[in-house]
Each structure stands twice: as C-alpha cells, then as structure tokens.
Amino acid sequence: MLTVDFSRFPLAPGDRVLDLGCGAGRHAFECYRRGAQVVALDRNGEEIREVATWFAAMKEAGEAPEGATATAMEGDALALPFPDESFDVVIISEVMEHIPDDKGVLAEMVRVLKPGGRIAITVPRYGPEKVCWALSDAYHEVEGGHIRIYKADELLAKIREAGLKPYGTHHAHALHSPYWWLKCAFGVDNDKALPVRAYHKLLVWDIMKKPLATRVAEQALNPLIGKSFVAYATKPHLPRVAEEAAVK
C-alpha cells in the first residue's frame, strides 16, 4: 500500500533514493522495483533487518531490474550519515509527526538532496487525525507516538522555509480513516472488537484484490477523509551567481 503516487513523483532508473524512516519498507521496495539505487534508513534496527531480508529476497526473485541496488541501514534522521547532495530523491512517509525537531529533519533532507532533486513528504491529515486524538488518548500518548497534527498550510510553509519548492499535493487512504476511528473508539490495542475485525478484513481484501469499486470509492473520498496528506517539492538550483559565490 503506497502513499506516494509515483505518477506525480517521477522516478528514473538509476536515481539514488533515500527512504527516510522507511519502517517496513513499502516505498523502498517500490523504488527498487523501478530500478533505483535505494537506501532505506530507520532508527528501528529490527525493522531494518526485516527490510534487508526482503531486499535480498527481491534480488533473488529477480524483482529488481539490472543496475538497481538496495541497502538497509540504521540511522538518525537528524544526523544523516551521507555527504551533501547525495540523493536525487528523498521520501519521508508518516515520520515527521513523530519527531520534535521537524525543522531539523527537513534541513537534513535538504542537505543530502541534490539541486533539482525531488522530495515526497506524507503526514496524517489534520481532520481525520483530530478525530483519532479526540476518541483516544492512547492513540497518541505513547512513547514514539504522534506529537503534532499538521495543517496542510503549516507543513507547506515549513517546506518552503527549508528552501524547497512545493509543486503538488493530494490526499490518500480514505478507506483507512474509518478503520482508525473504530480502533480509537474500541481501544487501539483491542483487535478483537467485531467492528474492528470486520473492517480490517475489508481493508486486507481491498489491498489484495484491488477491486474497481473500492478504487473508485477511495478516489472520490480522498479529498474528504483521506487519512494522509502528501506533498511533493523540488530543491531549486542555485542561480549561477550564487553558485559561483558558494564556490569562492
């Protein structure tokens, strides 16, 4: 289940991609399949080991084209272990709402992104997230949980302040918002509640089968209750005079 829409976020074979806070690796795997040179980074060592295992399995199965590479590594989003201008593409999906110093993370992403490079940022959408917070303190008051709710304008302002140029936005995963509302209403750790189990079964069926009816429904509902807000931006090239001054 991808949150980034690669029809709006072009990726070329050979692009060097950083999936920052990769989690289980869903976007990193897609980039690998598309022929990129992928680095999946997360602070969770257990998840990184699992992502590395899947990378190896994908290579063995021939799922990635020739020339594609994939590396999984532990790291700190506030102190990325890469030189300046190392990546053509940076993806950070459902991560920034967890990090107190979100401006510091943005600064690090901009630092490692090449001029002309592209960045995709996804966060929980304001409206659906407010419902979750109102229904359950346990949803967000946990170690490593969500510490803020972004309004779209606020996130875009921070993106611009970091020196990036936004070029598109959209919402995603409308069918997932009711699931999380049910989880929060019945208890975030209570997977046995019948409405939660039934809706989860529906989501799994939808992800596996991808029926036209639910695809159309989700597209229609995304602008209203999409669970995620997605923003795309580029890192501008410095004007030639500024480039020359920087060299000097």
Side-chain angles (χ1 to χ4, degrees):
M1 184 189 72
L2 300 174
T3 307
V4 172
D5 181 352
F6 285 92
S7 70
R8 310 181 195 217
F9 190 64
L11 190 68
D15 275 351
R16 187 161 166 78
V17 177
L18 173 63
D19 185 1
L20 180 55
C22 65
R26 57 202 172 102
H27 289 106
F29 300 149
E30 180 64 20
C31 293
Y32 189 31
R33 290 188 187 99
R34 289 171 178 260
Q37 298 175 4
V38 184
V39 176
L41 183 143
D42 201 285
R43 65 184 298 177
N44 186 318
E46 185 175 336
E47 285 197 311
I48 283 297
R49 287 187 287 275
E50 185 69 17
V51 169
T53 299
W54 277 105
F55 278 151
M58 290 172 68
K59 182 177 181 179
E60 182 70 21
E63 288 190 39
E66 187 177 351
T69 62
T71 302
M73 62 185 294
E74 289 185 57
D76 182 352
L78 289 164
L80 295 174
F82 311 112
D84 295 355
E85 302 179 6
S86 299
F87 294 94
D88 302 289
V89 172
V90 177
I91 296 170
I92 184 166
S93 183
E94 311 299 303
V95 173
M96 288 180 57
E97 68 276 8
H98 296 272
I99 301 176
D101 186 8
D102 58 347
K103 290 184 178 181
V105 173
L106 275 167
E108 273 294 88
M109 289 191 290
V110 172
R111 179 184 68 78
V112 302
L113 187 64
K114 296 177 182 178
R118 303 170 303 286
I119 190 165
I121 299 172
T122 91
V123 297
R125 184 184 186 175
Y126 183 82
E129 187 76 348
K130 284 286 284 186
V131 174
C132 288
W133 283 45
L135 289 171
S136 171
D137 289 338
Y139 171 79
H140 62 96
E141 290 182 356
V142 295
E143 184 178 355
H146 299 184
I147 62 170
R148 70 172 65 81
I149 306 175
Y150 286 102
K151 292 184 177 180
D153 289 347
E154 174 195 357
L155 180 61
L156 291 171
K158 289 185 176 183
I159 289 171
R160 292 188 182 98
E161 185 182 339
L164 297 166
K165 184 177 180 180
Y167 69 83
T169 65
H170 65 89
H171 299 98
H173 308 319
L175 296 182
H176 288 250
S177 290
Y179 172 70
W180 282 102
W181 296 338
L182 288 170
K183 287 270 287 181
C184 290
F186 285 93
V188 290
D189 296 320
N190 180 13
D191 293 326
K192 295 182 179 180
L194 180 59
V196 175
R197 286 192 290 116
Y199 202 96
H200 182 264
K201 190 174 182 178
L202 170 67
L203 289 179
V204 171
W205 172 78
D206 175 55
I207 291 169
M208 298 300 294
K209 300 295 185 181
K210 297 181 174 64
L212 178 61
T214 56
R215 296 302 92 211
V216 171
E218 186 154 74
Q219 278 192 333
L221 290 170
N222 274 337
L224 302 173
I225 60 169
K227 183 73 170 67
S228 295
F229 174 70
V230 188
Y232 305 105
T234 59
K235 179 178 177 178
H237 289 277
L238 284 172
R240 185 168 297 278
V241 173
E243 286 182 348
E244 293 174 353
V247 171
K248 293 177 181 178

